[in-house]
Amino acid sequence: MRINKYIASCGITSRRKADQLILDGRVAVNGVIMREPGYDVKQGEEVTCDGIRIAPERDKIYILLNKPLGYVTTTSDDRGRPTVLDLIQDEDRRIFPVGRLDYNTSGLLILTNDGDVANKLMHPSKELEKTYRAVVSGILTCGKIARLECGVNIGGFKTSPAKVEVRKHNKKSTVVDITIHEGKNHQVRRMFKAVGAPVQELQRIRIGKLMIGRLAIGGYRKLGPAEVEYLHSI
């Protein structure tokens, strides 16, 4: 098994992030630092990450979390900030967050130990839709909506057309749902800033067919069989 897939199957991180672990010299095979992402792990070889022996997880788990503000979407943080794993209190198996959700953004996040599913969810070729509910400054005019729906330049990158639905507004702010399929850093905030409507609050409410629903902030649940089947079908 290719070593990045091996690491992902151990519930450490996704395949894409596993490549970086290897390049950073944090992975060893039989005690020797491995820096070849294309290496095939052979039966009986001992693989370690940060000095800890790892092995593939047989039982797969899929958790949907309503991430609060003030948590980082990583398994650990060198600045001592709380991570999303701190919110999962009743799971002993290694899991990792799929993709990222900004420190100041709340909402739907998937955690799993299934590296293959994580890779599918994050791969750009899947063009998986994600919906965010934003509170933006001022009134979101028809002209601004049209620009978002056509794609806007967010600094050397023009976004694909977005789907925009205004939920309500007053003189000071607008509540709006925006659906995109890309995942550039701070993309939604940069899109609204580009049309002169800076974001005040931001929550992700949907990934593909998975919805946040009425799940409380900081709450989480395991995905049901139909939802897991959907993830594998992506």
Side-chain angles (χ1 to χ4, degrees):
M1 182 186 298
R2 190 177 171 124
I3 192 165
N4 62 354
K5 187 173 183 179
Y6 183 93
I7 294 168
S9 72
C10 297
I12 304 300
T13 189
S14 67
R15 271 191 270 170
R16 293 171 68 187
K17 291 185 178 180
D19 285 338
Q20 191 59 52
L21 290 178
I22 296 164
L23 293 174
D24 289 344
R26 296 170 60 184
V27 177
V29 177
N30 295 332
V32 179
I33 296 297
M34 173 58 60
R35 296 185 185 271
E36 300 176 24
Y39 181 79
D40 285 325
V41 178
K42 302 171 184 63
Q43 187 173 0
E45 289 188 316
E46 181 182 87
V47 181
T48 60
C49 182
D50 294 332
I52 300 172
R53 184 173 182 175
I54 60 176
E57 294 276 3
R58 293 184 178 180
D59 297 326
K60 302 303 182 185
I61 182 170
Y62 310 86
I63 291 175
L64 188 155
L65 168 72
N66 187 350
K67 174 193 170 299
L69 302 177
Y71 284 78
V72 291
T73 311
T74 57
T75 55
S76 62
D77 184 64
D78 56 10
R79 294 165 58 184
R81 295 173 296 180
T83 78
V84 290
L85 293 188
D86 295 329
L87 297 164
I88 312 299
Q89 300 295 326
D90 57 355
E91 183 53 59
D92 294 330
R93 287 168 289 185
R94 289 193 187 100
I95 56 175
F96 59 89
V98 179
R100 60 175 179 266
L101 204 56
D102 295 339
Y103 186 77
N104 292 321
T105 300
S106 63
L108 195 160
L109 183 70
I110 301 298
L111 298 100
T112 187
N113 59 2
D114 190 330
D116 288 334
V117 162
N119 194 57
K120 286 182 179 181
L121 286 170
M122 291 189 293
H123 203 284
S125 67
K126 299 296 181 180
E127 296 190 349
L128 192 65
E129 287 190 342
K130 298 172 282 287
T131 300
Y132 297 80
R133 181 157 295 165
V135 180
V136 301
S137 299
I139 296 175
L140 196 64
T141 64
C142 292
K144 292 178 180 180
I145 292 172
R147 289 178 62 192
L148 292 166
E149 290 179 333
C150 290
V152 293
N153 191 307
I154 56 173
F157 175 81
K158 184 177 181 181
T159 63
S160 296
K163 300 175 185 176
V164 181
E165 181 183 357
V166 173
R167 309 293 298 187
K168 61 181 178 180
H169 66 83
N170 56 40
K171 293 181 179 179
K172 293 185 178 180
S173 64
T174 302
V175 179
V176 57
D177 289 352
I178 183 168
T179 299
I180 62 174
H181 64 74
E182 297 153 323
K184 298 295 183 182
N185 199 27
H186 306 298
Q187 180 169 332
V188 173
R189 293 179 185 275
R190 292 162 68 189
M191 289 173 71
F192 280 112
K193 184 178 180 180
V195 300
V199 169
Q200 298 175 351
E201 300 175 22
L202 189 62
Q203 178 191 33
R204 184 160 64 193
I205 61 174
R206 181 175 72 91
I207 297 177
K209 294 182 180 180
L210 301 179
M211 307 287 291
I212 197 72
R214 297 185 178 181
L215 188 63
I217 295 175
Y220 60 93
R221 64 176 178 84
K222 293 180 180 178
L223 296 185
E227 293 172 314
V228 173
E229 184 177 353
Y230 163 68
L231 290 180
H232 284 281
S233 73
I234 293 174

